[in-house]
Amino acid sequence: MNQPSSRAAETRVTCELVVHVLVGGEPQVSLPASFHYQRSDPYAVLLSIGTASTGTVDWIFALDLLREGMSRPVGEGAVLVAPRLSSRGAVVRVVVRSQVGSAALDIRTSAVADFLDRVHKVVPPGTEGSCVDIDHLVTRLLGTGA
């Protein structure tokens, strides 16, 4: 379920969806999830699995991984993204790994494409750097201000 289209003045994009989770040899489980994007952090996307009432597991990773993972396998380390065909049709598989274990998350390609389209209306590809407040980041890194 997508929320109404983003307008250029908006600074956040949220997309509610369903992920199909595969962990080890266990049966696949469908869970509610959502993608979140903020203009103030233009290179990142947040994937929240679960709900506020049941608790969520959150993964933050590069928006480019999601964008490029629509057409080819990308990533290394904690997050891998690749296009696939499943019994449900075209999906984007996001593999998340931690010290505890790993899980494969299948998300409908159309849901990912809709989310990315909305993100690109807020921050067009290639303009992310103009959204970063470098002075604020330096101040925070140096611990000299709020």
Side-chain angles (χ1 to χ4, degrees):
M1 304 173 109
N2 287 328
Q3 294 178 353
S5 298
S6 300
R7 292 172 298 211
E10 289 186 280
T11 62
R12 296 174 186 233
V13 176
T14 298
C15 176
E16 295 178 4
L17 47 95
V18 173
V19 296
H20 305 285
V21 181
L22 299 140
V23 177
E26 298 295 319
Q28 188 176 43
V29 176
S30 298
L31 296 172
S34 55
F35 277 128
H36 303 272
Y37 177 82
Q38 295 184 62
R39 181 181 173 95
S40 62
D41 192 2
Y43 296 105
V45 62
L46 168 67
L47 173 60
S48 291
I49 303 165
T51 64
S53 61
T54 62
T56 62
V57 175
D58 297 334
W59 287 86
I60 298 172
F61 54 95
L63 178 64
D64 279 349
L65 280 179
L66 193 58
R67 187 181 295 141
E68 292 176 31
M70 294 276 295
S71 59
R72 67 182 180 88
V74 293
E76 56 185 68
V79 179
L80 311 169
V81 183
R84 302 182 39 114
L85 285 177
S86 76
S87 59
R88 289 180 167 76
V91 297
V92 174
R93 174 161 284 181
V94 178
V95 176
V96 292
R97 300 188 282 201
S98 72
Q99 294 176 354
V100 177
S102 65
L105 315 169
D106 286 345
I107 306 167
R108 278 187 5 260
T109 299
S110 60
V112 176
D114 289 347
F115 173 70
L116 290 173
D117 286 345
R118 293 178 57 217
V119 165
H120 295 158
K121 290 176 184 170
V122 172
V123 178
T127 66
E128 295 90 351
S130 67
C131 300
V132 178
D133 184 348
I134 298 294
D135 293 335
H136 177 70
L137 289 175
V138 170
T139 299
R140 287 185 59 197
L141 287 171
L142 296 175
T144 57

